[in-house]
Amino acid sequence: MPVNTPPAAKAEVRDLSFFYGDFAALKNVSLDVAEHEVTALIGPSGCGKSTMLRCFNRMHDLYPGSRYAGEIRLQPDNVNLLGKDIDPVETRIRIGMVFQKPNPFPKTIFENVAYGLRILGEKRRSTIADKVEKSLRDAALWDEVKDRLDHLATSLSGGQQQRLCIARTLATEPEIVLFDEPTSALDPIATASIEELIIELKKQVTVLIVTHNMQQAGRISRYTAFMYLGELVEFGETEKIFTRPTKQQTENYITGRFG
Amino acid sequence: MALQTEQIRVLIARHKLRDVCFDLLGMFVLMIALLVLAALFVQLAIDGFERLNYDFFSNFPSRRAARAGILSAWVGSILVMLVTAMAAVPVGVAAGLWLEEYAPRNWLAEVIEINVTNLAGVPSIIYGLLALGLLVYQMGLGQSVLTAGLTLAMMILPVVIVATREAIRAVPQTIREAAYGLGATRWQVTRDHVLPYSLAGVLTGVIIGLSRAIGETAPIITIGALTFIAFLPPAPITATAPFVNFDWLFSPFTVMPIQMFNWVSRPDAAFHVSAAAAGVVLVAMTLTMNSLAIWLRFRARKRIKW
């Protein structure tokens, strides 16, 4: 398939397969995730897009019966994230994740953002306070919560909770942030603010996002991968995927004929 | 064939009748249960009322019913409960955490799981026999507060483990994933999230276990607790260094239900009044503990929502 090679790849996925027991949820997927860009994974339910996302931070390792094949090479140091010698904890420190449903800890707003720093052993209170403020600013939440950092995070609205989860992830300065349908539980206004935020974030981090919403992929991503039944059908610049797809399946999906 | 409006109404009326029948039946059955309990307590309170004064709490048992009190019994009950809690809580909570967060999902875990559930159904006197053989004779702990506390701890351990596991299971997986996603290790997730968020449920289980233990008589009699104790165990806190004293652990003791049992079995009816009064105190102790559990659960529900 003709792929415009991204300027610099932050992660190179090579022949990635993933199995739940005997079931192959991902089959020989290869693609490059461009640095400081937004790459979107789209496709119908069950196509493996979330499964693929969760390979990046080895989330599958939490559950028995999962097995990876192939490689995800993180650049520039060329580490294979799926390598047997790599501790999943290391991977998750380097690669952050924002989930489908906002999942703040039932702790204070401050503690939610500070938690990542604490598990990395940061003890200096001023450093923690500075980083919490910076992360909340980066997540466009600071002005709304600066006077109530000691309130419970669960008292925030859904959209605010999701931005808090983004701030929580940003606090430890990950290299890639994975978004798993981050707006599917939110209303259109909260969705718009999260989308704006993601576009803004690519200056700092590389973004990989799974979305059910094709318009969303069109609005925020530079590259799009269309997946179907665990296979990568088509991958390229978003504009091209949406206007001149080369595969019939892609065209059918984006024109709304199935999915 | 469409039903006529009239037929539909007849049908609904018939179905509604059954609805009302079950409603009334359920209420009736519940009332019977509650009334029996209330009648029992009121009877106890009426019988024991005249004995319920300060002296009753501050006197040791006596040959004369009018002067007999429950000082050694309630102090003994509290000390035994202390030992029980100190032993059952760490072990039970650790076991529950391990089973939920650490144990591999294989046949061994299943065997352990089934065993824990079954242990909850073992008659309490069996724990008494076990304690008599193991703690009193083999380990030489004697017929002491320590032996009684450990015996009851063994008995309530399954309750604590099951309650802990249920509380842990109520923590949503998405919260665990959020913590793991930040690079937390399994221990960090357990210590910083799973345990604190399930603490109220765990405490509820512990208190329910303890309120069951405080009324237990059979295993305590089996290990050979005395029924007539006219002295208190040495105080755990002393005025001189090192300020703590563990001699009370090895002291002979009695507990509330045994004191009651002793008075009930005497021929002199005056002692039956004392037994009733002790019963009121014991029920009050249990109800207080249960109320505490309910309050804790209520508070946690308000604070932690997912």
Side-chain angles (χ1 to χ4, degrees):
Chain A
M1 85 187 67
V3 170
N4 287 354
T5 312
K10 181 64 197 165
E12 296 163 355
V13 180
R14 293 292 175 265
D15 291 322
L16 175 65
S17 295
F18 179 78
F19 306 87
Y20 295 110
D22 293 331
F23 173 69
L26 274 182
K27 299 164 197 162
N28 294 313
V29 174
S30 297
L31 58 80
D32 287 355
V33 179
E35 190 163 22
H36 292 297
E37 296 289 355
V38 177
T39 301
L41 302 176
I42 63 168
S45 300
C47 71
K49 54 193 192 299
S50 282
T51 303
M52 164 131 161
L53 197 73
R54 292 162 70 90
C55 290
F56 277 77
N57 66 348
R58 303 273 298 268
M59 210 45 124
H60 298 297
D61 288 46
L62 297 180
Y63 306 97
S66 54
R67 188 164 63 82
Y68 309 89
E71 296 183 340
I72 298 176
R73 292 209 164 268
L74 196 62
Q75 301 301 348
D77 44 358
N78 204 33
V79 171
N80 176 20
L81 296 178
L82 305 177
K84 293 262 182 290
D85 53 331
I86 303 294
D87 193 313
V89 172
E90 176 188 323
T91 308
R92 295 180 199 131
I93 288 170
R94 298 184 67 173
I95 300 181
M97 183 163 187
V98 176
F99 297 80
Q100 190 166 3
K101 200 170 152 273
N103 55 357
F105 303 128
K107 297 181 188 281
T108 64
I109 293 170
F110 185 91
E111 277 309 316
N112 263 274
V113 185
Y115 186 68
L117 302 166
R118 293 198 197 282
I119 57 176
L120 292 185
E122 183 58 68
K123 295 268 193 295
R124 286 163 300 179
R125 296 175 65 163
S126 61
T127 310
I128 293 178
D130 289 347
K131 289 198 173 181
V132 167
E133 176 174 344
K134 182 178 183 304
S135 309
L136 284 168
R137 282 188 191 281
D138 289 346
L141 190 60
W142 176 252
D143 291 331
E144 290 160 64
V145 302
K146 63 176 181 230
D147 300 321
R148 46 174 177 150
L149 292 174
D150 55 341
H151 287 210
L152 279 178
T154 39
S155 66
L156 297 172
S157 75
Q160 288 173 324
Q161 287 188 13
Q162 196 61 301
R163 275 179 285 150
L164 181 67
C165 292
I166 294 173
R168 179 174 69 186
T169 303
L170 292 178
T172 51
E173 297 170 31
E175 296 162 56
I176 301 179
V177 177
L178 311 170
F179 287 86
D180 189 1
E181 301 193 38
T183 61
S184 64
L186 304 179
D187 66 57
I189 293 168
T191 299
S193 74
I194 299 279
E195 287 183 8
E196 236 173 84
L197 183 55
I198 291 173
I199 294 169
E200 204 49 41
L201 281 180
K202 68 181 184 187
K203 290 174 193 156
Q204 305 178 31
V205 296
T206 300
V207 174
L208 188 59
I209 179 170
V210 163
T211 175
H212 218 84
N213 177 330
M214 282 175 292
Q215 286 77 25
Q216 182 169 73
R219 284 192 295 268
I220 65 175
S221 73
R222 173 141 180 222
Y223 299 96
T224 294
F226 171 63
M227 298 178 67
Y228 185 58
L229 298 176
E231 291 180 52
L232 180 66
V233 177
E234 194 163 354
F235 176 60
E237 296 209 26
T238 302
E239 199 196 333
K240 188 176 159 294
I241 296 275
F242 277 78
T243 53
R244 304 182 305 279
T246 55
K247 299 278 172 66
Q248 189 61 42
Q249 270 175 320
T250 315
E251 190 175 336
N252 289 349
Y253 183 70
I254 60 171
T255 52
R257 253 169 266 171
F258 82 108
Chain B
M1 181 206 72
L3 289 168
Q4 298 299 310
T5 313
E6 204 46 46
Q7 287 174 297
I8 292 174
R9 284 183 186 158
V10 170
L11 206 64
I12 291 173
R14 199 164 59 204
H15 292 167
K16 276 253 167 102
L17 186 67
R18 295 187 188 167
D19 184 46
V20 171
C21 280
F22 181 75
D23 191 0
L24 291 175
L25 181 77
M27 212 150 58
F28 179 69
V29 173
L30 206 66
M31 279 301 148
I32 290 179
L34 283 176
L35 277 176
V36 167
L37 203 70
L40 211 68
F41 187 67
V42 168
Q43 183 67 49
L44 213 58
I46 291 171
D47 287 349
F49 182 72
E50 55 182 284
R51 223 27 77 77
L52 279 173
N53 51 33
Y54 177 77
D55 285 346
F56 187 64
F57 289 92
S58 62
N59 281 358
F60 286 112
S62 162
R63 268 176 240 287
R64 274 170 294 166
R67 286 188 51 193
I70 55 168
L71 179 61
S72 47
W74 71 258
V75 171
S77 272
I78 286 174
L79 290 180
V80 169
M81 281 308 106
L82 204 66
V83 175
T84 303
M86 300 284 248
V89 172
V91 176
V93 172
L97 276 172
W98 186 81
L99 281 171
E100 280 303 309
E101 300 293 314
Y102 281 74
R105 296 271 171 264
N106 58 21
W107 65 270
L108 187 67
E110 300 233 336
V111 168
I112 294 176
E113 189 162 346
I114 291 167
N115 265 297
V116 168
T117 320
N118 280 342
L119 276 179
V122 172
S124 59
I125 195 156
I126 305 295
Y127 285 103
L129 280 176
L130 171 69
L132 186 66
L134 187 70
L135 301 176
V136 179
Y137 294 130
Q138 290 289 325
M139 295 170 69
L141 297 179
Q143 291 152 349
S144 60
V145 172
L146 183 62
T147 302
L150 292 179
T151 308
L152 294 179
M154 283 194 285
M155 193 191 81
I156 69 165
L157 207 51
V159 179
V160 176
I161 294 174
V162 169
T164 301
R165 296 186 65 183
E166 263 163 31
I168 289 169
R169 255 179 259 157
V171 176
Q173 191 60 21
T174 55
I175 293 288
R176 288 187 186 83
E177 288 195 349
Y180 279 118
L182 289 168
T185 58
R186 193 157 55 169
W187 173 240
Q188 284 169 329
V189 173
T190 305
R191 184 196 61 194
D192 300 337
H193 301 283
V194 174
L195 186 58
Y197 306 155
S198 56
L199 205 57
V202 172
L203 281 177
T204 307
V206 167
I207 293 170
I208 288 172
L210 286 178
S211 69
R212 201 189 132 192
I214 202 171
E216 273 301 334
T217 323
I220 305 287
I221 290 181
T222 314
I223 62 170
L226 300 178
T227 53
F228 189 93
I229 293 267
F231 56 88
L232 288 182
I237 298 163
T238 55
T240 53
F243 302 111
V244 285
N245 183 343
F246 292 103
D247 289 347
W248 58 276
L249 284 172
F250 301 101
S251 166
F253 68 100
T254 191
V255 290
M256 293 289 294
I258 289 186
Q259 187 64 69
M260 254 185 94
F261 174 72
N262 173 254
W263 283 334
V264 167
S265 52
R266 289 189 184 207
D268 182 355
F271 277 109
H272 298 173
V273 178
S274 300
V280 172
V281 175
L282 186 57
V283 172
M285 280 169 128
T286 314
L287 288 184
T288 308
M289 285 165 93
N290 283 345
S291 315
L292 188 67
I294 291 168
W295 179 72
L296 276 172
R297 197 160 31 188
F298 172 75
R299 239 188 51 148
R301 284 224 182 110
K302 256 191 3 188
R303 216 185 86 79
I304 296 179
K305 2 173 225 217
W306 309 112

